[in-house]
Amino acid sequence: MGSWQSSAAGLRQSWQSSHALLLLPVLLILVITVADLRSPEDIHLGPTLVIAPALTPSFAGPRTTALVGALAVTAQVLIAVLHGGLTTANHIVQIVTLVLLSVIVVIYSAVRERRRAQLAQVRTVAEAAQHVLMWPLPEHIGPLRIASLYLAAEDEAQIGGDLYAATRRDGEVRVLIGDVRGKGLSAIGEAALLLGAFRESAHRHVTLPDLAAALEQSVQRYAADLEPVEEAGERFVTALLVEIPDEDPVTRMTSCGHPPPLLLSPGHAVTVPSLHPSPPLGVHGTGGTEHTLDVFSFEPGDTLLLYTDGVVEARDAQGRFYPLAERVAQWTDAAPEALMHHLRRDLLAHVGGRLGDDAALIALHRTPTTEHRRHHGILGHGAARP
């Protein structure tokens, strides 16, 4: 109900704004008409009436533009009748010219309106596809508070080759973040495959190395069946698998050629865990690769920041890479949602508003045990309440 009321209020505000802007071309027509009628007969201001219909498409559709154009033509006819005669060659040329220009502006407005509707439909489909492909991460899962950020490089796109997912398994949380080689629509199929394989396999394999091996087999099968001949051996996926138990203050990781995460601790401390990565998933000749399990401390109050290489490889106008570890040090005490807000604004400012590659980030904040239990409603009846 609240969402409907918000949408209705937005539409009402937009309608009121458009009608307020409509006064501008109408007043312009009125001012030009009065000024022309009060000018000497050798001064002709009528041709400037075309400005009114030319302005209208910026805030209104073709029907309103045609109405303003008709009003401008009517004003030109009135000027001709009262200021020199309707049958004079000069006024006839001005009227015909204004009619033709108004028709051209209306056609332009109609084409623009059609393209705007098509773009809105594409955006709707892209948003729906994103939600199907990558389910929104929960704000809380197990002992974690989570926030994520996805920035697609393709114009008007909301999805690309970067991917992430999280799931619960036997008292622990498993998280995947990955990056398919390439960007945009060409990478979506492989991203969908890997996400589906992770959601299915994360509950069946006991260790992360076993899970990584299962994902490797899925990517290899996809490459064998669907990889274009001209791209043979060139399609692969970097991936980082993270496992966080509810009770133990550690995090377990298996990296398949993916950048290591950053561990943010209170007091502006940023450390980079030293991983032992195996090759990316799908690289030919990696069958039977041994995947390493790395274990690190992850205390309550810490935040684990996962990211794809589109973040650290983002360049500014001088070609300098985005210094993620340096920038994030100032926000180590921020909540996950605030951290994502700061990083989005700072990253886009660094690249001048446009990324050259897809970028994804996930902030995993480990909450204190008591907060985790309170959130899940498992405090004892005798426990103290704040």
Side-chain angles (χ1 to χ4, degrees), residues 62 105-118:
V105 171
V106 171
I107 294 173
Y108 162 76
S109 178
V111 172
R112 182 172 179 267
E113 190 78 5
R114 182 178 178 182
R115 294 191 65 180
R116 180 185 297 174
Q118 291 174 339

Side-chain angles (χ1 to χ4, degrees), residues 120-265:
Q121 183 178 13
V122 168
R123 285 175 172 168
T124 301
V125 172
E127 184 175 357
Q130 183 184 36
H131 288 164
V132 171
L133 178 61
M134 287 196 304
W135 305 338
L137 298 179
E139 294 182 2
H140 293 84
I141 181 170
L144 305 176
R145 288 180 59 189
I146 301 180
S148 60
L149 173 63
Y150 196 108
L151 297 172
E154 291 287 335
D155 292 336
E156 308 302 340
Q158 298 188 31
I159 53 178
D162 289 4
L163 55 103
Y164 51 72
T167 188
R168 289 280 292 165
R169 176 192 177 277
D170 297 336
E172 60 192 20
V173 178
R174 283 185 167 179
V175 180
L176 162 72
I177 187 168
D179 183 4
V180 177
R181 182 181 182 275
K183 62 183 180 181
L185 297 177
S186 62
I188 291 177
E190 290 173 74
L193 168 85
L194 191 61
L195 285 169
F198 171 77
R199 290 169 183 144
E200 176 64 23
S201 302
H203 300 276
R204 295 192 290 108
H205 294 278
V206 177
T207 68
L208 291 186
D210 289 341
L211 176 57
L215 298 181
E216 170 69 33
Q217 292 176 2
S218 296
V219 172
Q220 292 282 12
R221 284 196 298 268
Y222 176 87
D225 294 339
L226 301 175
E227 185 178 65
V229 176
E230 63 275 11
E231 297 183 2
E234 297 182 4
R235 307 298 288 269
F236 58 85
V237 185
T238 68
L240 179 66
L241 296 168
V242 178
E243 182 179 270
I244 302 171
D246 291 355
E247 302 300 332
D248 296 334
V250 298
T251 177
R252 308 181 187 109
M253 303 182 204
T254 292
S255 173
C256 301
H258 199 82
L262 299 180
L263 181 63
L264 316 182
S265 301

Side-chain angles (χ1 to χ4, degrees), residues 23-345:
L23 292 176
L24 178 61
V26 173
L27 288 175
L28 189 61
I29 291 172
L30 179 61
V31 170
I32 292 174
T33 302
V34 172
D36 195 301
L37 291 176
R38 294 196 174 190
S39 301
E41 290 191 3
D42 59 335
I43 297 178
H44 303 282
L45 299 177
T48 60
L49 287 168
V50 73
I51 298 174
L55 287 175
T56 308
S58 62
F59 59 85
R63 292 184 180 181
T64 303
T65 302
L67 180 62
V68 172
L71 185 61
V73 172
T74 301
Q76 180 64 69
V77 172
L78 178 63
I79 291 172
V81 171
L82 300 178
H83 203 187
L86 182 61
T87 58
T88 61
N90 184 51
H91 283 145
I92 291 175
V93 170
Q94 289 182 22
I95 292 171
V96 172
T97 302
L98 183 57
V99 170
L100 291 176
L101 291 175
S102 296
V103 169
I104 292 174
V105 171
V106 171
I107 294 173
Y108 162 76
S109 178
V111 172
R112 182 172 179 267
E113 190 78 5
R114 182 178 178 182
R115 294 191 65 180
R116 180 185 297 174
Q118 291 174 339
L119 179 58
Q121 183 178 13
V122 168
R123 285 175 172 168
T124 301
V125 172
E127 184 175 357
Q130 183 184 36
H131 288 164
V132 171
L133 178 61
M134 287 196 304
W135 305 338
L137 298 179
E139 294 182 2
H140 293 84
I141 181 170
L144 305 176
R145 288 180 59 189
I146 301 180
S148 60
L149 173 63
Y150 196 108
L151 297 172
E154 291 287 335
D155 292 336
E156 308 302 340
Q158 298 188 31
I159 53 178
D162 289 4
L163 55 103
Y164 51 72
T167 188
R168 289 280 292 165
R169 176 192 177 277
D170 297 336
E172 60 192 20
V173 178
R174 283 185 167 179
V175 180
L176 162 72
I177 187 168
D179 183 4
V180 177
R181 182 181 182 275
K183 62 183 180 181
L185 297 177
S186 62
I188 291 177
E190 290 173 74
L193 168 85
L194 191 61
L195 285 169
F198 171 77
R199 290 169 183 144
E200 176 64 23
S201 302
H203 300 276
R204 295 192 290 108
H205 294 278
V206 177
T207 68
L208 291 186
D210 289 341
L211 176 57
L215 298 181
E216 170 69 33
Q217 292 176 2
S218 296
V219 172
Q220 292 282 12
R221 284 196 298 268
Y222 176 87
D225 294 339
L226 301 175
E227 185 178 65
V229 176
E230 63 275 11
E231 297 183 2
E234 297 182 4
R235 307 298 288 269
F236 58 85
V237 185
T238 68
L240 179 66
L241 296 168
V242 178
E243 182 179 270
I244 302 171
D246 291 355
E247 302 300 332
D248 296 334
V250 298
T251 177
R252 308 181 187 109
M253 303 182 204
T254 292
S255 173
C256 301
H258 199 82
L262 299 180
L263 181 63
L264 316 182
S265 301
H268 307 288
V270 178
T271 57
V272 182
S274 178
L275 302 181
H276 300 82
S278 58
L281 304 176
V283 174
H284 284 218
T286 60
T289 296
E290 292 294 330
H291 299 281
T292 303
L293 181 67
D294 294 302
V295 183
F296 305 96
S297 174
F298 186 31
E299 300 288 343
D302 290 346
T303 298
L304 196 63
L305 182 64
L306 316 181
Y307 58 91
T308 58
D309 60 9
V311 177
V312 292
E313 293 179 1
R315 298 173 182 264
D316 62 10
Q318 287 72 44
R320 294 172 297 191
F321 292 115
Y322 181 68
L324 177 62
E326 174 186 328
R327 297 293 181 87
V328 81
Q330 58 189 314
W331 304 307
T332 57
D333 296 321
E337 298 82 3
L339 178 60
M340 291 296 102
H341 173 75
H342 291 313
L343 284 172
R344 176 190 179 93
R345 183 176 57 185

